[in-house]
Amino acid sequence: MNTFGHQFTLTTFGESHGAAIGGVVDGMPAGIDIDLDFIQSELNRRRPGQSAITTSRNEADRVELLSGVFEGKSTGCPIGFIVRNTNQHSQDYENMRCLYRPSHADYTYQTKYGIRDHRGGGRSSARITISRCVAGALAKLALRKYGISIQAYTSQVGDIALDRDYHRYDLSLTEQNAVRCPDPEKADEMERLILQVKEEGDTIGGVVTCVVRGCPPGVGEPEFGKLHAQLGAAMLSINAVKGFEYGEGFEGVRFRGSEQNDVFVNDHGRITTHTNHSGGIQGGISNGQDIYFRVAFKPVATILQQQQTVDLEGNATTLKARGRHDPCVLPRAVPVVEAMAAITILDQILSMKS
């Protein structure tokens, strides 16, 4: 399962400490202007070494498009791409070769395949999300002609949280701080908390909120192809994700139906809803309102503290990780969430037309 999508598909390859990360995008509509600077800017939002609250791994993450583009436009043929790894410190992982890191994929990969790449987690590394950001950027370019925009932001780090109503914030401020939070005061609090946790050799999790604007009604399928199910599958496939909710989500269970129902109104000949507790999706199909959802990320599993574990033979031992790691994945996860949302929405729109 290295391929995602139905009509617009992404197949990824590569490992954290291999020669390159790459992928093939198939189903890209022909004639789309391919803005390479935009694609690179999306990768830059994900790249390591951005600030004191991210990993210090220094990678330029320059994307190379290998096919599917002619004279600046997509041809409709598969778009192959690679991003070369240039700053691996594989020796930092040598003490992890013969043991299982707590809460990592080491044990499960070894059990499934009988072999694993211990260097940075190999295929299970979050570095693999590079391919998703390239494909997501291509999907965003294609979605422009539909008037669809996607904006994600950090809405919670630890117990520091924004109000759940995204309307209360100017989302254009998201990129103006290292945390990618649209509330400058909360962003400062979050950054201080992340730096404190980093100093302690620990990690912390949080929540990314995403808003999709301009999605027309009718996107999604009934029963097993529900739009929110597709979005949920996309988000839960991202490294470190532990939860997904859309609309009011779990918070909505505290209210009654009379408080939660989105009443239909006629707005100058256009049917719409007075509220949007449903998160823009009803019966698994978009209703034309903003689609909004929240994605929970666990604390990064690699901590710079001594932990108990076992070796490959099951003998008790201890591990103190070395290397360069994120104390909090949230700031770099924001563009990944947007990318997977863009891929999913475009895939569903193209499926309607097939």
Side-chain angles (χ1 to χ4, degrees), residues 256-295:
R256 300 187 179 189
S258 57
E259 299 171 294
Q260 282 284 289
N261 285 347
D262 294 318
V263 176
F264 288 102
V265 296
N266 188 325
D267 182 16
H268 299 91
R270 183 176 70 94
I271 294 177
T272 184
T273 56
H274 184 66
T275 56
N276 188 21
H277 299 298
S278 301
I281 303 172
Q282 294 170 327
I285 300 171
S286 63
N287 66 2
Q289 301 298 308
D290 289 350
I291 297 170
Y292 64 93
F293 55 86
R294 290 159 48 89
V295 186

Side-chain angles (χ1 to χ4, degrees), residues 33 296 336:
D33 290 327
V336 182

Side-chain angles (χ1 to χ4, degrees), residues 97-230:
R97 177 187 289 271
C98 296
L99 52 77
Y100 298 123
R101 295 172 296 169
S103 285
H104 274 278
D106 297 346
Y107 174 72
T108 52
Y109 267 55
Q110 187 75 39
T111 301
K112 182 175 179 64
Y113 299 108
I115 187 173
R116 66 181 174 91
D117 184 348
H118 68 282
R119 304 165 306 166
R123 185 68 173 154
S124 68
S125 169
R127 186 156 177 77
I128 306 304
T129 58
I130 283 174
S131 298
R132 299 170 184 237
C133 286
V134 175
L138 290 168
K140 284 184 177 182
L141 292 173
L143 287 173
R144 287 178 179 177
K145 74 173 185 177
Y146 298 101
I148 297 173
S149 65
I150 298 170
Q151 173 73 67
Y153 61 93
T154 298
S155 56
Q156 183 171 344
V157 173
D159 59 1
I160 302 172
L162 303 189
D163 188 282
R164 292 172 62 91
D165 184 0
Y166 63 90
H167 294 98
R168 298 188 59 180
Y169 303 99
D170 180 358
L171 301 191
S172 69
L173 300 178
T174 298
E175 295 295 317
Q176 295 188 13
N177 56 73
V179 188
R180 293 200 163 91
C181 171
D183 183 321
E185 292 184 6
K186 289 286 188 181
D188 287 341
E189 292 182 42
M190 291 174 179
E191 184 167 358
R192 288 196 297 271
L193 176 59
I194 295 171
L195 288 172
Q196 175 191 334
V197 167
K198 179 182 180 181
E199 182 68 23
E200 296 168 354
D202 215 335
T203 61
I204 196 164
V207 176
V208 170
T209 296
C210 187
V211 182
V212 180
R213 292 189 169 103
C215 185
V219 178
E221 300 294 335
E223 197 59 16
F224 300 115
K226 290 179 170 65
L227 181 55
H228 58 266
Q230 302 298 317

Side-chain angles (χ1 to χ4, degrees), residues 7-9 25-36 38-39 42 72-76 79 133-150 213-216 338-339 341-350 353:
Q7 298 297 318
F8 180 89
T9 66
V25 168
D26 204 359
M28 180 72 174
I32 302 296
D33 290 327
I34 302 301
D35 185 343
L36 190 56
F38 172 73
I39 297 171
E42 292 293 273
K73 292 184 181 294
S74 58
T75 64
I79 299 177
C133 286
V134 175
L138 290 168
K140 284 184 177 182
L141 292 173
L143 287 173
R144 287 178 179 177
K145 74 173 185 177
Y146 298 101
I148 297 173
S149 65
I150 298 170
R213 292 189 169 103
C215 185
E338 289 183 7
I343 293 169
T344 303
I345 296 295
L346 178 59
D347 183 42
Q348 292 294 300
I349 288 176
L350 295 178
K353 299 178 179 298

